[in-house]
Structure formats: structure tokens, C-alpha cells
């Protein structure tokens, strides 16, 4: 899992415009619209009523916009091409990229150099495109059965003189993956965060109508549980019981029943 430093703030406008023309064939009015969206923006700092002089940034895509993540994905499309050329699987979402491969435990040492070389190549590409790979926050994790993991001796990978220890847990788009894919840590974290919000809702429940309480529960609880819930198919009933307790408590709060959060 690759971590980029201040990725959205460092995308070069000229490189992005050139890539839109060369790779996607964007020209004419469409290109002019994107250029006007990116360029001629100003920024300043205001502290205690004092405002700095305005500057015109030549890098960065506006965060919080609809186009921002799309433009950044176009800017970084070569990362996916590099990973595939190295024989690795890859998934990317905005500035979050995941490389993966399958290997037999007995052949780990022959295969592990492949992702290392790939990350080095990606790091070089980023340095030539005004991006930076944050190796200190890049994670590696082995996924497998407890027996397969016990057969692995490779617990450290070195990237550009930075030794990265294998993680036992890693987050992918809000889902906490553990090495054996039990999803127990994910469920515990999800349950803990949900009960925190339920306790806050319980305090203000008297001030809310039933409709408002339902809206708040959906915003803070059910939407969180529904996110990527397909990964929980086949998970132990012991873990799922925690989430059922969350939903039961949410229902009691909506109906003003006595509950413990």
C-alpha cells in the first residue's frame, strides 16, 4: 500500500494539461474549461485580520471538488501502467494505491524482489513528476491462512535504505484488513466508533424528533456499517454479533427505549 505525500497539492498543472492532450485527446473548449479550472487561482493566508500577499499556485488540484480526484487519477495513470508492466496487480483510488501479488510461501524470497523493484520504479517516476512516495508510511502485509503465514520468514522489506516491517493490519478504503482476513479488528473498530456516536446521540435524543433521530442514526451508524459490508460475508457469527448489538442499540435510541451504549 503506497502512501503519497501531499499528493493533491503537488500535481503540476502543465504536466496534467499535456497528459490530457497526449493520452486522452482532450482539446478545444473541453481543455480550455479544465485549464480555467486549474489555473489563475489565487491563495493567501489570513491571521488575526492580517492578510498575506496573494500567490498563484502552479501545482495542485482543488480538493473537495468533483473533478479533483478524477484529474489526479489521470495525472497518476502511469503508476498503474508501471505496476502492470512489473507483473503486479494494482488498485488505485485518488492518492491511495495498492499493489498485490500471489506467491507460494516456499518461493517468497524469489518473488519479493519484484514488488521492491516496482516500487523503486514508481518512486523514480513520481520524483520526475513532482510527486513524492512516502516510504515511511508505505505498508506491506502478507495475507493467508495461519499455517501459510507461519511458514514465512520474510518480515522486513527494504525500500531505498528504509526498512519496512510487515504489518499485521492495513486499511484499504476504510476497511481494516488483518493478515488472516478474519475481519475481527475491522468489526471491533467499527463497533467502537459506532457506540461512540450512539452515546452522543443518546445525550441529545430528547431534543430530536423521531424523524431527526432516524436521520442522525443513518448518517453516523447505518451508513458506516453498510460501507463495504459485502466483505463480511462468511465472517464468524461472534464478530457479527457486535454489529447486531450496534443496530439494536440504535433502534432503541430511535424508539426511546432504555439502552446501554
Amino acid at each position: 500500500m503506497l502512501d503519497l505525500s501531499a499528493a493533491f497539492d503537488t500535481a503540476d498543472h502543465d504536466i496534467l494539461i499535456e497528459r490530457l492532450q497526449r493520452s486522452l485527446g482532450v482539446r478545444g473548449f473541453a481543455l480550455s474549461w479544465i485549464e480555467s479550472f486549474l489555473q489563475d487561482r489565487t491563495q493567501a493566508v489570513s491571521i488575526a485580520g492580517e492578510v498575506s500577499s496573494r500567490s498563484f499556485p502552479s501545482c495542485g488540484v482543488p480538493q473537495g471538488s468533483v473533478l479533483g480526484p478524477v484529474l489526479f487519477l489521470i495525472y497518476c495513470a502511469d503508476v498503474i501502467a508501471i505496476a502492470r508492466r512489473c507483473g503486479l496487480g494494482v488498485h488505485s483510488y485518488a492518492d491511495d494505491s495498492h499493489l498485490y501479488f500471489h506467491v507460494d510461501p516456499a518461493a517468497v524470497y524469489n518473488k519479493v524482489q519484484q514488488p521492491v523493484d516496482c516500487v523503486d520504479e514508481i518512486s523514480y517516476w513520481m520524483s520526475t513528476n513532482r510527486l513524492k512516495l512516502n516510504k515511511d508510511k508505505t505498508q506491506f502485509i502478507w495475507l493467508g491462512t495461519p499455517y501459510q503465514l507461519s511458514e514465512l520468514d520474510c518480515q522486513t522489506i527494504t525500500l531505498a535504505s528504509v526498512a519496512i516491517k510487515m504489518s499485521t493490519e492495513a486499511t484499504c478504503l476504510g476497511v481494516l484488513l488483518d493478515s488472516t482476513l478474519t475481519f475481527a479488528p475491522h468489526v471491533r473498530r467499527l463497533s467502537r466508533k459506532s457506540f461512540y456516536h450512539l452515546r452522543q446521540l443518546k445525550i441529545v435524543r430528547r431534543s430530536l424528533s423521531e424523524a431527526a433521530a432516524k436521520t442522525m442514526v443513518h448518517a453516523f451508524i447505518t451508513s458506516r456499517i453498510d460501507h463495504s459490508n459485502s466483505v463480511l460475508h462468511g465472517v464468524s457469527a461472534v464478530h457479527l454479533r457486535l454489529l447486531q448489538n450496534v443496530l439494536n442499540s440504535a433502534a432503541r435510541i430511535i424508539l426511546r427505549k432504555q439502552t446501554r451504549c
Side-chain angles (χ1 to χ4, degrees):
M1 298 186 181
L2 307 180
D3 183 88
L4 279 65
S5 297
F8 279 79
D9 298 328
T10 55
D12 186 275
H13 294 164
D14 292 334
I15 295 176
L16 177 56
I17 295 299
E18 189 272 336
R19 196 155 291 160
L20 286 168
Q21 293 176 291
R22 175 174 52 84
S23 301
L24 300 182
V26 179
R27 294 180 176 83
F29 284 117
L31 186 65
S32 298
W33 290 337
I34 296 176
E35 285 180 321
S36 66
F37 176 73
L38 293 172
Q39 298 174 345
D40 296 329
R41 291 179 177 270
T42 61
Q43 64 183 25
V45 177
S46 176
I47 300 178
E50 296 293 329
V51 181
S52 69
S53 58
R54 297 187 177 274
S55 63
F56 293 83
S58 61
C59 297
V61 292
Q63 297 190 44
S65 64
V66 175
L67 275 179
V70 176
L71 292 174
F72 185 77
L73 281 176
I74 294 172
Y75 189 85
C76 292
D78 287 347
V79 171
I80 297 176
I82 292 172
R84 289 175 176 168
R85 187 169 66 247
C86 293
L88 300 179
V90 57
H91 283 120
S92 290
Y93 181 80
D95 59 346
D96 191 10
S97 297
H98 303 131
L99 308 179
Y100 55 92
F101 64 97
H102 177 270
V103 63
D104 187 275
V108 163
Y109 285 103
N110 295 329
K111 185 76 173 181
V112 76
Q113 190 59 38
Q114 185 177 358
V116 172
D117 293 340
C118 182
V119 172
D120 285 341
E121 187 173 346
I122 290 174
S123 180
Y124 174 76
W125 178 89
M126 288 181 176
S127 66
T128 60
N129 285 270
R130 292 197 172 187
L131 297 174
K132 180 183 178 183
L133 178 63
N134 194 335
K135 296 184 176 66
D136 292 330
K137 292 185 178 180
T138 296
Q139 292 179 288
F140 283 86
I141 184 172
W142 292 120
L143 302 176
T145 65
Y147 175 76
Q148 289 173 329
L149 295 176
S150 67
E151 294 291 302
L152 294 173
D153 294 327
C154 180
Q155 297 301 322
T156 303
I157 287 182
T158 302
L159 293 177
S161 72
V162 177
I164 300 176
K165 291 185 177 181
M166 291 297 172
S167 302
T168 57
E169 298 175 359
T171 301
C172 177
L173 297 181
V175 177
L176 185 61
L177 304 176
D178 57 287
S179 295
T180 54
L181 294 180
T182 64
F183 292 101
H186 173 68
V187 171
R188 286 196 297 268
R189 185 179 70 170
L190 186 57
S191 176
R192 184 170 61 253
K193 289 184 176 180
S194 297
F195 274 121
Y196 168 79
H197 289 295
L198 285 174
R199 286 192 292 271
Q200 308 309 308
L201 287 174
K202 186 177 180 181
I203 295 173
V204 300
R205 178 61 183 91
R206 291 184 179 181
S207 303
L208 301 174
S209 65
E210 184 171 316
K214 288 181 179 179
T215 300
M216 297 290 282
V217 165
H218 177 68
F220 292 103
I221 308 303
T222 56
S223 61
R224 190 185 300 271
I225 292 177
D226 286 344
H227 173 66
S228 301
N229 61 7
S230 59
V231 301
L232 300 178
H233 175 72
V235 169
S236 170
V238 174
H239 305 321
L240 295 182
R241 196 174 299 128
L242 289 174
L243 299 182
Q244 187 61 57
N245 290 340
V246 170
L247 295 176
N248 292 344
S249 296
R252 292 189 184 100
I253 286 178
I254 292 174
L255 299 174
R256 293 188 176 181
K257 303 287 186 178
Q258 291 295 324
T259 182
R260 293 181 179 179
C261 294

